[in-house]
Amino acid sequence: MNAIQSLYLKILHEFEPQTNFLSEKTRLLNQQLINSLSPLQLIAITAFVTTCGLSIYQFLFSHDEVYTFTTFYLIPKRSAIIIKSYYSFFFNEYISTRIREIIFRMARQLPAVKRKIAEAREATLKTVFNDIAKSVAGHEFTKVLPDHGLSQEELIKKLEHYRKLEKINFKSGKISGCVYKLAKTDMTEIYNKAFTLFGESNPLHVDVFPDIRTMEAEIVRCVATMFHGDIDVCGTMTSGGTESILMACKTYRDLAISKGITKPEM
């Protein structure tokens, strides 16, 4: 990824004079148009050029319905879409940012750039695959289901073999974000006992397992109280930290959309 980022930054740096030149010429052209044309003329010309440009773009690059010049006048819904696209292009972002994005997309299609990106991706994948292969070196993979089931002794022996594949000592407590090892043995016994009690439950069926539902509700309420939440604050349990982060991002995104923010940043 560092190689790709460096390549992008290099391309940006090389095209910066051209980008600045285009921005300056655009500013001068806009100033000349403002000085020589009336506001109504500017609006009419802008609407005409924008409609034609978007129609051509949709015709060439979109698989959806084609926006033509006639539909701009005949179908208000499509007109609104075209106007919205025009507004989004010219006002939601700086022109220089748009130009850089276009340059990026075009540059990525160049054979030399595509080759560099492919090489960097291939090197990354090769490193990942090699690391995975080393961790299970010498293991004979099971590829088909056995004709007969394993006995309890055979199954335990097989599980113990799988356990020996672990090479990293996660019990040291130095593996970040992997396993939160409990230092006290009695705590380990407690969660093993808890798993024995509720291992066969299914939290999706709250009517069948009210015990799981009750514990989840109490945990959510404890966390809500910790953050000074009122009676209307609610929450849910997730399967792990990653899902919790995704749920938080989705919640804030939906909140932003409800407030009219169409392009929230995360």
Side-chain angles (χ1 to χ4, degrees):
M1 293 302 295
N2 291 334
I4 297 176
Q5 292 176 355
S6 300
L7 181 62
Y8 282 169
L9 292 175
K10 183 179 179 181
I11 294 173
L12 263 183
H13 180 72
E14 291 179 354
F15 283 95
E16 187 173 2
Q18 291 85 344
T19 303
N20 294 335
F21 175 79
L22 289 174
S23 298
E24 180 62 22
K25 289 299 181 182
T26 302
R27 188 187 66 80
L28 293 175
L29 177 61
N30 289 337
Q31 189 62 42
Q32 291 177 359
L33 290 174
I34 292 173
N35 294 335
S36 59
L37 299 174
S38 66
L40 288 178
Q41 289 175 322
L42 285 174
I43 293 173
I45 293 174
T46 302
F48 178 81
V49 173
T50 302
T51 304
C52 292
L54 289 174
S55 298
I56 294 172
Y57 176 84
Q58 292 287 342
F59 179 78
L60 293 176
F61 302 106
S62 177
H63 297 290
D64 300 328
E65 298 180 61
V66 178
Y67 302 118
T68 62
F69 177 73
T70 54
T71 57
F72 180 80
Y73 295 99
L74 297 178
I75 304 178
K77 182 178 180 181
R78 294 187 179 182
S79 301
I81 294 175
I82 293 175
I83 294 172
K84 182 178 180 181
S85 300
Y86 166 80
Y87 180 85
S88 176
F89 184 90
F90 286 99
F91 294 100
N92 281 5
E93 297 183 51
Y94 291 109
I95 295 297
S96 59
T97 303
R98 282 285 186 171
I99 293 175
R100 288 191 179 94
E101 291 177 353
I102 294 173
I103 292 174
F104 269 146
R105 287 196 294 268
M106 295 176 63
R108 292 183 64 178
Q109 301 305 315
L110 296 175
V113 177
K114 292 178 70 173
R115 186 166 54 252
K116 286 289 185 181
I117 294 175
E119 291 174 357
R121 183 187 296 113
E122 186 66 25
T124 301
L125 291 176
K126 186 176 180 180
T127 301
V128 173
F129 289 147
N130 287 339
D131 290 342
I132 294 175
K134 289 179 182 178
S135 65
V136 292
H139 173 69
E140 185 177 349
F141 284 86
T142 301
K143 300 179 181 179
V144 295
L145 292 174
D147 295 331
H148 304 284
L150 302 177
S151 65
Q152 182 175 342
E153 292 76 13
E154 291 173 329
L155 179 59
I156 295 299
K157 184 178 180 180
K158 194 172 185 66
L159 292 175
E160 290 175 347
H161 167 72
Y162 283 119
R163 189 62 186 269
K164 291 178 181 179
L165 293 176
E166 297 177 1
K167 302 296 191 301
I168 299 176
N169 182 20
F170 68 89
K171 296 181 180 180
S172 64
K174 299 180 180 180
I175 307 299
S176 175
C178 178
V179 175
Y180 299 97
K181 176 62 180 174
L182 297 175
K184 297 181 179 180
T185 306
D186 57 342
M187 295 296 293
T188 304
E189 294 176 355
I190 289 175
Y191 73 66
N192 283 334
K193 179 65 174 178
F195 185 81
T196 302
L197 289 173
F198 301 100
E200 295 180 331
S201 62
N202 187 342
L204 290 177
H205 297 273
V206 295
D207 54 338
V208 181
F209 301 101
D211 44 358
I212 304 298
R213 177 193 65 199
T214 302
M215 287 189 289
E216 179 179 3
E218 290 176 351
I219 292 172
V220 170
R221 178 45 50 189
C222 287
V223 175
T225 303
M226 185 186 305
F227 288 94
H228 308 288
D230 57 22
I231 193 64
D232 294 325
V233 171
C234 59
T236 184
M237 298 282 289
T238 63
S239 60
T242 302
E243 185 182 358
S244 296
I245 294 172
L246 291 175
M247 291 295 290
C249 290
K250 180 184 182 301
T251 301
Y252 277 107
R253 184 203 65 181
D254 294 346
L255 178 63
I257 292 175
S258 68
K259 294 183 177 181
I261 301 175
T262 57
K263 293 185 177 181
E265 296 182 1
M266 293 188 292

